[in-house]
């Protein structure tokens, strides 16, 4: 008999997982609290464009979906830094030909809903989950509905109702750690000739304690996101009366391309950023996946990629255990928890790098030396960003550990007298041997 699986959440992770499971022969229903986004207006200002990288592409390739989704994405080959005078400098992400993909969250989500539905997934929209009972494997919704299944999967995001229900029942503990920063989205519309900035870069305006980023869209627009403290001298609270003046002085080239800045500022909300760590991720045949289990802040661009990787790994474990969920679920949690914790740490660290360091001479020198090390020893020295973003066979936890060793070595190199002018003369072979110790 085909097992019934209920997935809570029709976001990208829930939809992708449903495709995997339907293809395994499961009967899958997806419950979603929102209306069908294919026919309803999506709230503005809450999306943060997604950066689809190798870890996220790998499961899409397994399912034969990568090519079609790349058609609605734009390659970004590196970071374009903007200074306060409007000057720019470009820093490639990795080796020649390596890039990440800017993709609209809503466009990706709609494409995956369509693919899942075509595969045989049943969607039920406007079903807000109010309780999940792992003892009876039953879901209750605010409309009075009761849904039973053999397995329930919570893929309902950082503020998961599934996780909240399990926590209330004492089935798990979790920490939900908001950071002191929020975000507000803005948009740069296309110009007469298309893109206003280089379309193949992730644009960053680093300003030490805060930053603006912009990702390209296929229509020639850019989705901009301002990350700023909630309170303090430079904060959303402090800018309540003078946002346009602040933007014009701090991000002049971006502000000049937003003639409707005041309207956007008023219309788009300030949203929260949170890191979620659950322990455990499951109770009997109810399991959390993606952000519901391990939400991270968006500064490594890995939230969705990690969720997609969850789907691929869970599918592999189901194959290994011949679809015995009672064995696959604990194996999934044991394997993925260290990696989820690692990417949470990496994401917070990368916020400091993007916000404070990317424009500093020491950071740029560090990147130059690391690029040379990778050029000379491509299999032995892979920069941390490349390990996380492009090496889909390397676990996040392994990348974090290797990255810490690399940082200690590079810190020592950068303390060498006169390194700014003599770095070309370094004994690169010895540096790489240091990493292997």
């Amino acid at each position: 008999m085909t097992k019934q699986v209920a997935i809570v959440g029709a976001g990208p992770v829930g939809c992708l997982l449903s495709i995997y499971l339907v293809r395994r022969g499961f009967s899958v229903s997806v419950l979603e609290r929102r209306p069908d986004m294919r026919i309803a207006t999506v709230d503005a200002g809450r999306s943060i464009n997604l950066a689809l990288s190798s870890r996220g592409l790998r499961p899409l390739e397994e399912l034969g979906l990568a090519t079609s989704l790349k058609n609605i994405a734009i390659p970004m080959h590196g970071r374009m830094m903007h200074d306060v005078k409007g000057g720019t400098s470009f820093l490639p992400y990795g080796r020649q030909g390596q890039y990440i993909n800017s993709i609209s969250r809503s466009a990706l989500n709609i494409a995956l809903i369509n693919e899942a539905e075509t595969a045989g997934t049943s969607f039920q929209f406007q079903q807000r989950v109010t309780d999940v009972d792992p003892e009876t494997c039953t879901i209750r919704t605010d409309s009075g509905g009761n849904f039973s299944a053999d397995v329930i999967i919570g893929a309902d995001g950082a503020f998961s109702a599934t996780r909240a229900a399990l926590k209330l029942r004492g089935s798990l503990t979790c920490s939900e750690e908001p950071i002191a920063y929020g975000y507000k989205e803005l948009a740069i519309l296309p110009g007469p000739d298309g893109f206003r900035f280089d379309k193949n870069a992730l644009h960053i305006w680093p300003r030490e304690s805060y930053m603006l980023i912009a990702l390209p869209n296929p229509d020639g627009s850019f989705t901009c996101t301002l990350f700023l403290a909630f309170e303090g001298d430079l904060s959303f609270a402090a800018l309540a009366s003078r946002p346009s003046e602040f933007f014009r002085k701090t991000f002049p080239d971006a502000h000049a391309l937003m003639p409707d800045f005041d309207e956007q500022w008023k219309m788009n909300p300030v949203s929260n950023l949170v890191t979620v760590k659950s322990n455990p991720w499951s109770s009997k045949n109810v399991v959390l996946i993606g952000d519901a289990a391990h939400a991270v802040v968006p500064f490594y661009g890995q939230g969705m990629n990690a969720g997609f990787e969850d789907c691929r790994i869970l599918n592999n474990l189901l194959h290994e255990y011949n679809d015995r969920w009672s064995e696959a679920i604990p194996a999934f949690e044991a394997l993925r928890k260290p990696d989820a914790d690692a990417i949470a740490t990496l994401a917070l660290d990368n916020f400091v790098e993007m916000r404070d360091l990317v424009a500093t001479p020491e950071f740029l020198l560090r990147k130059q030396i690391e690029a040379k090390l990778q050029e000379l020893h491509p299999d032995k020295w892979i920069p941390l960003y490349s390990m996380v973003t492009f090496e889909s066979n390397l676990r996040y936890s392994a990348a974090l550990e290797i990255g810490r060793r690399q940082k200690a070595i590079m810190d020592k190199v950068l303390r060498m007298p006169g390194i700014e002018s003599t770095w070309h003369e370094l004994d690169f072979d010895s540096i790489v041997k240091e990493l292997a110790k």
Side-chain angles (χ1 to χ4, degrees), residues 113-388:
I113 290 173
N114 288 332
E115 290 287 348
E117 203 167 59
T118 299
T121 300
S122 171
F123 285 90
Q124 299 196 46
F125 295 98
Q126 295 181 288
Q127 296 287 343
R128 183 183 293 273
V129 170
T130 57
D131 189 34
V132 176
D133 186 346
E135 297 296 330
T136 59
C137 222
T138 301
I139 300 168
R140 282 185 281 277
T141 69
D142 61 353
S143 63
N146 283 278
F147 300 87
S148 296
D150 297 300
V151 176
I152 296 171
I153 301 170
D156 46 343
F159 303 100
S160 167
T162 309
R163 186 181 71 244
L166 295 180
K167 181 180 178 182
L168 188 63
R169 290 173 177 273
S171 299
L172 57 77
T173 60
C174 72
S175 63
E176 300 170 3
E177 301 171 5
I179 65 172
Y181 283 73
Y183 72 90
K184 180 186 281 282
E185 285 198 356
L186 302 160
I188 293 174
L189 299 179
D193 300 318
F195 292 93
R196 304 279 195 145
F197 296 129
D198 184 341
K199 72 173 184 177
N200 295 121
L202 188 155
H203 294 261
I204 305 178
W205 289 257
R207 299 295 184 263
E208 295 187 0
S209 63
Y210 56 95
M211 68 176 178
L212 178 73
I213 68 170
L215 279 73
N217 297 304
D219 65 358
S221 67
F222 284 85
T223 299
C224 303
T225 309
L226 174 65
F227 297 98
L228 188 66
F230 286 113
E231 303 290 339
D233 292 339
L234 279 171
S235 66
F236 282 114
L239 294 185
S241 61
R242 53 182 182 87
S244 187
E245 176 188 350
F246 165 78
F247 233 77
R248 185 170 55 253
K249 290 180 178 179
T250 312
F251 312 114
D253 50 344
H255 184 267
L257 301 176
M258 298 179 185
D260 59 343
F261 174 86
D262 290 335
E263 181 182 347
Q264 288 194 53
W265 187 271
K266 291 176 183 176
M267 181 177 66
N268 293 345
V270 176
S271 300
N272 297 306
L273 298 165
V274 64
T275 297
V276 172
K277 294 183 179 179
S278 300
N279 186 34
W281 291 1
S282 62
S283 177
K284 298 188 181 296
N285 271 11
V286 179
V287 61
L288 304 174
I289 196 168
D291 281 357
H294 53 76
V296 298
V297 293
F299 305 116
Y300 230 114
Q302 286 296 303
M304 175 196 63
N305 292 290
F308 281 10
E309 191 170 62
D310 282 351
C311 297
R312 179 180 66 80
I313 289 172
L314 179 57
N315 180 67
N316 289 345
L317 290 169
L318 286 167
H319 181 75
E320 180 179 342
Y321 291 106
N322 295 314
D323 292 332
R324 294 190 297 273
W325 287 90
S326 60
E327 296 176 62
I329 288 174
F332 169 70
E333 182 178 337
L335 183 62
R336 288 299 281 169
K337 182 82 166 71
D339 295 321
D341 291 345
I343 192 57
T345 297
L346 287 162
L348 286 167
D349 289 349
N350 206 47
F351 180 34
V352 177
E353 177 175 306
M354 292 175 71
R355 184 192 69 195
D356 301 355
L357 304 178
V358 291
T360 65
E362 180 178 313
F363 177 85
L364 297 173
L365 177 60
R366 184 184 293 263
K367 291 299 181 184
Q368 284 181 303
I369 297 172
E370 286 203 306
K372 189 64 177 179
L373 285 164
Q374 187 178 26
E375 177 190 335
L376 295 173
H377 301 279
D379 298 325
K380 296 179 180 177
W381 188 286
I382 303 171
L384 177 59
Y385 184 90
S386 294
M387 284 191 285
V388 170

Side-chain angles (χ1 to χ4, degrees), residues 19-36:
I19 299 169
Y20 268 119
L21 296 181
V22 167
R23 292 190 184 183
R24 295 197 69 81
F26 293 101
S27 176
V28 182
S29 297
V30 176
L31 307 181
E32 170 57 48
R33 65 178 176 81
R34 299 169 299 177
D36 187 342

Side-chain angles (χ1 to χ4, degrees), residues 55 335 338-340 342-343 346 394-402:
R55 292 177 192 271
L335 183 62
D339 295 321
I343 192 57
L346 287 162
L394 186 68
R395 295 178 62 175
Y396 287 126
S397 52
L400 176 61
E401 177 56 33
I402 296 168

Side-chain angles (χ1 to χ4, degrees), residues 77-117:
H77 296 273
R79 298 167 172 169
M80 185 73 75
M81 276 80 72
H82 296 245
D83 64 28
V84 292
K85 295 181 180 179
T88 60
S89 57
F90 181 74
L91 186 65
Y93 277 132
R95 298 192 305 269
Q96 184 81 20
Q98 289 184 325
Y99 57 87
I100 60 177
N101 299 275
S102 172
I103 190 165
S104 158
R105 180 187 295 271
S106 59
L108 172 65
N109 206 161
I110 287 170
L112 288 174
I113 290 173
N114 288 332
E115 290 287 348
E117 203 167 59

